[in-house]
């Protein structure tokens, strides 16, 4: 079943709330611009005044409306990109510029207006909790020096996230600079292809990428 079918079930007042809630989660599974868990946290936070997506049908509908609005924008963006690429291919440009596909890479809530700052705070809080619980790389996968470097990197990411959350999505300049440096370090540590250490580092990088996006987008959000 596709997104539209699940959205229809969320709106079906004849269905039990549990099935409507499950349908909403399935809809998020089909479209989750921040990643599944972060998108769910964003929707829960922005379905105020009663962000109980399990028991409040009105909150479910508000969350679905937010999700559908974002999806409509993303579909329009993809359609415009496809039309532009057809024209470019006809003129001989076979490869799109990286800037043309930036909206398809990494977390990004679609729309011309800034996303909800408090929604992004909820998304980061959700993923930060997962980040702090995620196992640290096995010592056998790296040297003692690398292990110390990774411990420092983990601590810096944790500190950046805590600063972001403490300031409700408006981190100061030093925090943004420390985050940028941590992300640069992570990119340097992640190697192409499969390596056992990537199993851990890619999780860190996904969290750092979300935090970076939230810090930049949420600065002007409501």
């Amino acid at each position: 079943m596709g997104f539209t079918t699940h959205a229809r079930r969320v709106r079906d007042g004849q269905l039990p709330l549990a099935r409507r809630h499950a349908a909403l989660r399935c809809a998020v599974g089909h479209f989750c611009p921040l990643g599944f868990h972060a998108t769910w946290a964003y929707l829960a936070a922005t379905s105020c005044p009663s962000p109980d997506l399990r028991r409040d049908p009105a909150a479910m509908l508000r969350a679905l409306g937010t999700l559908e609005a974002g999806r409509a924008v993303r579909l329009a963006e993809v359609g415009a990109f496809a039309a532009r690429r057809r024209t470019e291919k006809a003129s001989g440009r076979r490869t799109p510029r990286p800037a043309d596909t930036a909206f398809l890479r990494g977390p990004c809530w679609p729309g011309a207006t800034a996303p909800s700052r408090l929604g992004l705070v909820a998304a980061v809080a959700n993923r930060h909790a997962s980040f702090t619980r995620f196992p640290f790389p096995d010592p056998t996968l790296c040297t003692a020096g690398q292990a110390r470097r990774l411990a420092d990197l983990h601590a810096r990411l944790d500190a950046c996230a805590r600063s972001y959350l403490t300031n409700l999505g408006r981190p100061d300049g030093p925090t943004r600079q420390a985050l940028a440096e941590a992300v640069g370090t992570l990119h340097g540590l992640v190697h192409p292809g499969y390596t056992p250490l990537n199993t851990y580092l890619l999780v860190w990088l996904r969290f750092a990428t979300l935090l970076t996006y939230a810090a930049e987008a949420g600065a002007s959000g409501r």
Side-chain angles (χ1 to χ4, degrees):
M1 290 183 290
F3 180 93
T4 303
T5 299
H6 292 302
R8 189 182 306 118
R9 291 188 172 185
V10 175
R11 288 194 170 91
D12 189 348
Q14 302 302 312
L15 291 176
L17 284 180
R19 289 187 60 186
R20 296 173 67 184
H21 177 265
L24 179 59
R25 291 185 67 83
C26 289
V28 172
H30 282 278
F31 178 67
C32 44
L34 304 179
F36 180 87
H37 296 289
T39 298
W40 186 265
Y42 181 97
L43 294 175
T46 56
S47 63
C48 297
S50 175
D52 188 344
L53 299 183
R54 187 177 296 276
R55 299 177 178 83
D56 186 346
M60 285 186 198
L61 295 178
R62 286 192 293 271
L64 178 63
T66 300
L67 189 67
E68 287 181 318
R71 180 173 178 267
V73 172
R74 176 54 50 82
L75 290 176
E77 290 174 340
V78 171
F81 172 73
R84 187 165 61 252
R85 286 299 299 142
R86 284 192 292 269
T87 301
E88 291 174 348
K89 287 179 180 179
S91 64
R93 185 192 297 166
R94 307 301 298 176
T95 304
R97 295 180 294 266
D100 294 336
T101 58
F103 74 100
L104 297 173
R105 302 191 306 272
C108 178
W109 195 271
T113 59
S116 165
R117 177 172 53 87
L118 295 183
L120 292 176
V121 169
V124 169
N126 178 280
R127 293 296 80 205
H128 179 241
S130 177
F131 170 75
T132 57
R133 292 193 303 265
F134 193 74
F136 202 76
D138 190 295
T140 62
L141 300 179
C142 50
T143 65
Q146 289 174 324
R148 286 192 296 271
R149 188 181 182 192
L150 290 176
D152 174 70
L153 178 59
H154 190 280
R156 280 189 285 153
L157 283 174
D158 181 50
C160 289
R162 292 181 186 280
S163 175
Y164 170 89
L165 294 172
T166 298
N167 289 284
L168 294 180
R170 292 195 173 109
D172 56 22
T175 297
R176 291 195 297 271
Q177 179 62 32
L179 179 58
E181 292 172 357
V183 171
T185 301
L186 265 174
H187 278 293
L189 292 172
V190 173
H191 299 290
Y194 171 78
T195 67
L197 196 56
N198 278 0
T199 303
Y200 300 88
L201 297 183
L202 288 174
V203 173
W204 294 12
L205 184 57
R206 282 193 293 271
F207 172 64
T209 303
L210 172 65
L211 180 56
T212 300
Y213 166 71
E216 294 173 351
S220 58
R222 56 197 184 278

